[in-house]
Amino acid sequence: MRQLSASDARFLYADTARANANVTKIQIYDQSTAPGGHVRFKTILAHIESRLAQSPAFRQKLHRVPLELDYPYWVEDEDFDLEYHVRHIALPKPGDWRQFCIQASRIHARALDLARPLWEIYVIEGLDGFLDLPRGSFALLTKVHHAAIDLEDAAGVATGITAVLHDTSPTPAPPAPPAPWFPEPAPGAVRMIGRGIAALAAAPLRLARPLSRALSAIAPSAFGYAGEMLLTPEKVVATRFNAAVSAHRVFETRRFLLAEFKEIRALVPGATVNDAVLAVCGGALRRYLEAERELPAANLTAIAPFFVREAGGGDGGRRAMAWMRVHLETGTGDAVRRLAAIHRQTASSATVARAVRARELTDLAQHTPAATLALVSKVLARAVRGIGRRAPLANCTITNVPGPAQPLYLCGARMTYFSAIMPIADGMGLVFAVTSYDGRIIISPTSCRELMPDPARFAQCIRDSFQEYLALARGGAVEGAAPVRRTRPKASSSGAASRRPRSARTAATAPRVAPGGRPRSTARPR
C-alpha cells in the first residue's frame, strides 16, 4: 500500500463535471509487420493480461481516508476485471482522420471510474481513410488519470503501460506463464483514521484539505490556482482560451521531423529543440488569434514543465519537476527574434533558481507549523478575493510527453504514430502536447469545442508557423507568405551553405483523408 503524493492528490481533488485530469496516449500501429500480417483483439487482450504482473499499479485502485484526513492510498482491486479496462471499437466508414479525432476526444473527455484502477485501453480499428498510414492500421488509446502518473520519477501507470506492453523487436521472446495473483485486502476505516490523525500531527497544513475541497465545490476555478497565484504573481492578459471550459474536447495534431527542428534551432546560437518547439507554438498562437482579430498587444505566455535537481541532492540527487512561465513573444512578427527571446528565458539560471525556491517554500510550509498556518490563511484569503476576477496564470500550457527514440512493437505490429491528449481546466483551456518518437516530433493541441470550434484550422497555424521557421533556416522565402527578414545570424554548421532548400510541405502532416472518403493505402504491394 502506497500513498499519493501531494501533487498527485491535487489532480484528483481538482476534478469537476466539466474538467477531469485524464491523460490519453494515442498510438497507431502497422499490423503488416506482425506474424501473419494481422493482429486480433483477443491477441492484444491476452498480451496485456500476460504482462500485468510486471506493473502492480495496473491492478491498484484508490482507497480514501475517512473525512479526507490524509491523502488517498493505492490498494489492490480485489474485483479487478481486465475486460472492463480493455475495450474494442471501430470507426464507421470511411474511417478518416476527422472521425478519429472526434472519437478520441470523446473517449478522453469521459471521466474514469474512481472506484476502479484509473486506466482504460481502447483498441480502435477501421482507420482505412488515412493516406499517410498503411491500410489496416489500428490504434491504441490509453487513458490514465493524472493522479496515477508520477511525473517526477516516471514510474506512473501511463509510463508503465507503454514500457510493459511494447517490445523493441517484432518477434519478442515467448512470455513466461503468468504468476498467481492474490490481492491484499484494503485496510479498515479505524486503521485509516489513525494514519490520518498521525499525518495531521506531523503536517498541520493537511487540516486545510477538507476546507479546500468545500471551497473548490463552490468556486473551483478560483481556488484551484490560489497557490500558484501566491507563489507566482504576474499580470497575464486573457484570451479566449482563458475562459471556463465545457465538458467537450477537441484534439488535432501535426507531425514533424526532429532533424528539421534541429535546423530551426540553428537560427539562434545555443538554442535547443525545446526552444524551437516553444517558438513554433508561439507563432501558431499568434497566427490563430490574429486571424480571429483577437491578438492582444501584450505578449502571451505559456506554462512549461522542466526538471531540476533538488538543492543538496548532488549528482545522484532526485530530479524534481518545476514549472516556468515563458513569454512566447507573440507581439512580434519576427520569427527569429521570437526564438531568440524564448532561448534567453529558458537559458536563464535565475528562472531555474526561482522555480527551485518555489518548491522549497512549499516543502518548508508542509513541515513547519507556523509557516503552514500562515500560508493556509494567505491562500484561502487570496482564493476568496479572487472569485469572479481571477487573472490567468498563463495563456496556455506546453508540455512534453517524451516517447522512445527507437521503434516499438505491440504483438509484432510496429508503432508508427505517438501523441497525447492532455487535460484542460477553467482558465487554462489550451494545452500543446509535444511528443517525440522515432525521429519525429508531434505537436497536438487540446482544447474544448466552444473555445476552439475549428481545431483543424488551429493545427494548420502550427504547420504554417513551422514552415516559416524551416524556410528561414534554409535561407529561403516562406511558402505562401511574404519573405521574413532574419535579425539573427544563422549558426554555422558543416555543409549548411551547400544544402539546397527543400519544400516543407510534407514535413508537417496529419494522417490525410482520401478524396471523397475512399480508402487508400500507402502500404507496399504484397
Side-chain angles (χ1 to χ4, degrees), residues 254 256 459-468 504-505 508:
R254 285 297 181 269
F256 309 92
Q460 180 67 26
C461 291
I462 298 175
R463 175 182 182 270
D464 291 344
S465 177
F466 171 82
Q467 282 189 311
E468 177 182 14
R505 181 176 297 277

Side-chain angles (χ1 to χ4, degrees), residues 17-165:
R18 293 177 291 104
N20 55 57
N22 293 340
V23 176
T24 301
K25 286 189 175 183
I26 300 178
Q27 294 148 330
I28 301 179
Y29 304 85
D30 174 12
Q31 61 179 332
S32 68
T33 63
H38 185 67
V39 180
R40 302 182 65 181
F41 173 72
K42 69 176 185 180
T43 302
I44 298 175
L45 189 66
H47 176 73
I48 295 173
E49 184 175 23
S50 70
R51 301 198 176 186
L52 286 177
Q54 297 183 31
S55 180
F58 291 166
R59 294 188 178 108
Q60 291 179 342
K61 65 179 182 179
L62 290 173
H63 188 61
R64 294 180 180 269
V65 179
L67 304 178
E68 299 290 347
L69 293 176
D70 201 359
Y71 300 125
Y73 287 80
W74 293 108
V75 299
E76 293 182 330
D77 183 6
E78 300 179 67
D79 300 315
F80 178 76
D81 179 7
L82 178 62
E83 294 192 26
Y84 171 85
H85 293 275
V86 184
R87 306 174 185 188
H88 186 203
I89 61 177
L91 294 181
K93 290 185 180 300
D96 60 36
W97 179 249
R98 179 176 177 274
Q99 289 175 296
F100 180 77
C101 287
I102 291 173
Q103 184 64 263
S105 300
R106 288 174 176 170
I107 292 172
H108 170 79
R110 289 196 289 266
L112 288 158
D113 185 351
L114 298 182
R116 297 175 180 266
L118 298 183
W119 64 273
E120 295 172 356
I121 291 179
Y122 290 78
V123 180
I124 304 180
E125 297 182 327
L127 314 184
D128 291 335
F130 295 3
L131 288 183
D132 289 344
L133 296 175
R135 187 178 179 85
S137 294
F138 67 92
L140 218 67
L141 265 64
T142 305
K143 182 170 68 171
V144 183
H145 196 283
H146 216 312
I149 303 174
D150 190 337
L151 294 177
E152 296 183 356
D153 62 14
V157 172
T159 300
I161 287 179
T162 300
V164 167
L165 297 186

Side-chain angles (χ1 to χ4, degrees), residues 405-481:
Q406 74 279 11
L408 293 183
Y409 297 84
L410 176 76
C411 299
R414 188 181 190 275
M415 185 195 300
T416 58
Y417 171 93
F418 168 61
S419 67
I421 311 178
M422 303 300 291
I424 60 174
D426 287 349
M428 193 68 75
L430 173 63
V431 177
F432 294 87
V434 182
T435 55
S436 56
Y437 169 66
D438 194 21
R440 286 187 178 268
I441 289 180
I442 303 96
I443 301 178
S444 305
T446 303
S447 187
C448 75
R449 70 187 185 195
E450 284 73 18
L451 302 182
M452 186 191 290
D454 46 2
R457 189 162 68 86
F458 191 93
Q460 180 67 26
C461 291
I462 298 175
R463 175 182 182 270
D464 291 344
S465 177
F466 171 82
Q467 282 189 311
E468 177 182 14
Y469 275 106
L470 188 61
L472 289 169
R474 292 173 174 176
V478 180
E479 180 182 343

Side-chain angles (χ1 to χ4, degrees), residues 488-507:
R488 290 278 191 274
K490 180 179 177 181
S492 60
S493 59
S494 60
S498 63
R499 286 196 300 263
R500 191 171 69 180
R502 294 178 291 152
S503 170
R505 181 176 297 277
T506 61

Side-chain angles (χ1 to χ4, degrees), residues 377-393:
S377 63
K378 289 181 181 180
V379 168
L380 297 182
R382 189 72 172 267
V384 173
R385 291 198 305 268
I387 294 176
R389 55 184 179 85
R390 175 178 55 83
L393 284 175

